[in-house]
Amino acid sequence: MLLRDTFTTAFVKNLIMVLVWLILSYINGTVVATFFRYQAFYEDPRYILFIHMVINDAIQLTVTIMLFVLSYIFYKINVSLCCFFILVAVFTTRNTPVNLAGMAIERYIAICIPLRHAQICTVRRTYIFIGLIWFVCVAPDITDLFVTLATQSLSFFQESVFCLRQNVFKDPVLAYKRVVFDAIYFSCVFLTLVFTYLRILFAARALSTEKASAQKARNTILLHGGQLAMCMLSYISPSVEVALRLIFPGRILEIRFANYLIVYIVPRFLSPIIYGVRDKKFRTYLRRYFVISRCKVKSRKVGEQDNDNM
């Protein structure tokens, strides 16, 4: 049976999603503009990894919300277009946890091996690591497309479907492969965060002079852990959604919408907060950026008034 929202419900849901996208796009855009405006961030691997995650999350957010809105406007879209959207969403979703692991390792080196930090965490190696992130996240899932191309006729890619991963990449083997790789990603990132947190904890106890920095690094990694936990909800959300449907059989659409908000949208609020608001250095430059922007707006208004009076 085809379940569809009423016009009012659909309008409210899409309005919420568009507003969320606008708010997060403004926040992310401000953070990205601040980063690229000031040279001080270009040579710091910590902020390079951070801005990569912000841009990655912005792409993920844009693609997933676009799919959400298109599903209400057209319901079904072309399979080829759906493949593109799904793959971009999957790649960017996988990137975030791996990027978090890299940021945790950078903090571990800065606190526990400070004398070698500049030697190990170079800008060049940071960009190589970002390339490695994309490789390890793209390689396993691009095979879904190759398997589908091999098992489906070309006419299938000209059809229209409701754009869900299981509706496009149908081979049962792919579902098992996703479970295996999800477990591998989760285990590696989780163990990395636990290892770096414990090492920084021990370093804070041993080095009294670095307690403040270590405390801040520990808190940052804890926030990364919370963000990771929310990102990893995407791995268990299908099972949770099935269970909730059994408990509340008349609320399937509401459950799907709430699941989408919690799993895919809320974690994207954390990235700008962890560094954009908590980090003292970035916060200082962010304020400076706002001051300069306001001054430009005021000077522009004054100039327009002067032109009107002439």
Side-chain angles (χ1 to χ4, degrees), residues 218-233:
R218 283 162 45 203
N219 292 339
T220 299
I221 292 177
L222 280 178
L223 283 172
H224 286 337
Q227 190 174 9
L228 173 68
M230 298 187 76
C231 291
M232 293 303 173
L233 286 175

Side-chain angles (χ1 to χ4, degrees), residues 9-133:
T9 303
F11 177 80
V12 170
K13 286 183 178 179
N14 281 273
L15 180 63
I16 291 172
M17 298 310 300
V18 172
L19 288 176
V20 167
W21 179 79
L22 289 173
I23 293 170
L24 271 176
S25 295
Y26 174 76
I27 295 172
N28 290 333
T30 303
V31 169
V32 172
T34 302
F35 174 88
F36 285 108
R37 186 179 184 87
Y38 298 104
Q39 190 76 25
F41 298 119
Y42 292 5
E43 302 298 322
D44 194 329
R46 179 184 184 186
Y47 295 104
I48 294 173
L49 287 172
F50 161 61
I51 210 65
H52 169 255
M53 186 164 65
V54 171
I55 294 173
N56 177 83
D57 287 353
I59 295 172
Q60 191 266 358
L61 185 75
T62 300
V63 170
T64 54
I65 289 183
M66 189 182 298
L67 274 176
F68 184 89
V69 174
L70 286 175
S71 70
Y72 277 91
I73 297 175
F74 301 109
Y75 188 69
K76 293 182 178 181
I77 64 173
N78 180 265
V79 170
S80 299
L81 186 61
C82 178
C83 283
F84 172 77
F85 282 135
I86 291 294
L87 287 175
V88 172
V90 169
F91 298 157
T92 50
T93 300
R94 283 202 188 279
N95 278 350
T96 299
V98 184
N99 201 97
L100 287 172
M103 295 171 78
I105 292 171
E106 188 278 331
R107 286 293 82 202
Y108 156 71
I109 295 172
I111 299 300
C112 299
I113 323 174
L115 297 179
R116 297 191 60 193
H117 180 263
Q119 179 185 357
I120 298 173
C121 299
T122 63
V123 173
R124 182 174 176 273
R125 287 181 177 177
T126 303
Y127 285 119
I128 291 174
F129 179 74
I130 290 174
L132 185 63
I133 289 175

Side-chain angles (χ1 to χ4, degrees), residues 18-305:
V18 172
L19 288 176
V20 167
W21 179 79
L22 289 173
I23 293 170
L24 271 176
S25 295
Y26 174 76
I27 295 172
N28 290 333
T30 303
V31 169
V32 172
T34 302
F35 174 88
F36 285 108
R37 186 179 184 87
Y38 298 104
Q39 190 76 25
F41 298 119
Y42 292 5
E43 302 298 322
D44 194 329
R46 179 184 184 186
Y47 295 104
I48 294 173
L49 287 172
F50 161 61
I51 210 65
H52 169 255
M53 186 164 65
V54 171
I55 294 173
N56 177 83
D57 287 353
I59 295 172
Q60 191 266 358
L61 185 75
T62 300
V63 170
T64 54
I65 289 183
M66 189 182 298
L67 274 176
F68 184 89
V69 174
L70 286 175
S71 70
Y72 277 91
I73 297 175
F74 301 109
Y75 188 69
K76 293 182 178 181
I77 64 173
N78 180 265
V79 170
S80 299
L81 186 61
C82 178
C83 283
F84 172 77
F85 282 135
I86 291 294
L87 287 175
V88 172
V90 169
F91 298 157
T92 50
T93 300
R94 283 202 188 279
N95 278 350
T96 299
V98 184
N99 201 97
L100 287 172
M103 295 171 78
I105 292 171
E106 188 278 331
R107 286 293 82 202
Y108 156 71
I109 295 172
I111 299 300
C112 299
I113 323 174
L115 297 179
R116 297 191 60 193
H117 180 263
Q119 179 185 357
I120 298 173
C121 299
T122 63
V123 173
R124 182 174 176 273
R125 287 181 177 177
T126 303
Y127 285 119
I128 291 174
F129 179 74
I130 290 174
L132 185 63
I133 289 175
W134 279 93
F135 176 77
V136 299
C137 293
V138 167
D141 289 297
I142 199 68
T143 56
D144 289 10
L145 178 61
F146 295 147
V147 170
T148 303
L149 285 170
T151 56
Q152 299 288 339
S153 63
L154 290 178
S155 61
F156 171 71
F157 292 91
Q158 299 173 355
E159 297 176 6
S160 296
V161 295
F162 184 71
C163 196
L164 292 174
R165 191 172 181 178
Q166 58 267 29
N167 291 345
V168 177
F169 305 118
K170 299 180 178 181
D171 196 306
V173 176
L174 298 179
Y176 293 114
K177 178 184 73 70
R178 285 196 293 270
V179 172
V180 171
F181 276 99
D182 286 347
I184 293 172
Y185 282 120
F186 176 79
S187 300
C188 291
V189 175
F190 177 76
L191 291 174
T192 299
L193 290 178
V194 170
F195 171 79
T196 52
Y197 178 80
L198 292 176
R199 291 302 300 266
I200 290 172
L201 178 65
F202 296 146
R205 291 178 177 177
L207 302 172
S208 58
T209 56
E210 291 294 330
K211 278 190 175 180
S213 299
Q215 178 67 36
K216 188 174 181 180
R218 283 162 45 203
N219 292 339
T220 299
I221 292 177
L222 280 178
L223 283 172
H224 286 337
Q227 190 174 9
L228 173 68
M230 298 187 76
C231 291
M232 293 303 173
L233 286 175
S234 60
Y235 300 148
I236 63 171
S237 63
S239 301
V240 173
E241 189 172 319
V242 169
L244 289 174
R245 286 181 180 183
L246 294 175
I247 299 171
F248 306 103
R251 300 289 182 179
I252 294 176
L253 295 175
E254 288 79 1
I255 291 169
R256 186 181 297 166
F257 180 68
N259 180 62
Y260 178 78
L261 276 177
I262 294 170
V263 173
Y264 294 100
I265 304 301
V266 174
R268 270 68 209 175
F269 276 98
L270 295 179
S271 298
I273 292 173
I274 291 175
Y275 277 102
V277 177
R278 287 186 68 253
D279 187 83
K280 184 178 179 180
K281 178 180 177 180
F282 202 92
R283 188 168 64 244
T284 300
Y285 282 97
L286 195 61
R287 287 174 180 170
R288 190 180 300 177
Y289 174 79
F290 274 115
V291 170
I292 293 173
S293 299
R294 287 181 181 179
C295 290
K296 285 183 177 180
V297 171
K298 287 182 180 179
S299 62
R300 191 179 303 164
K301 288 182 178 179
V302 170
E304 289 176 355
Q305 290 175 357

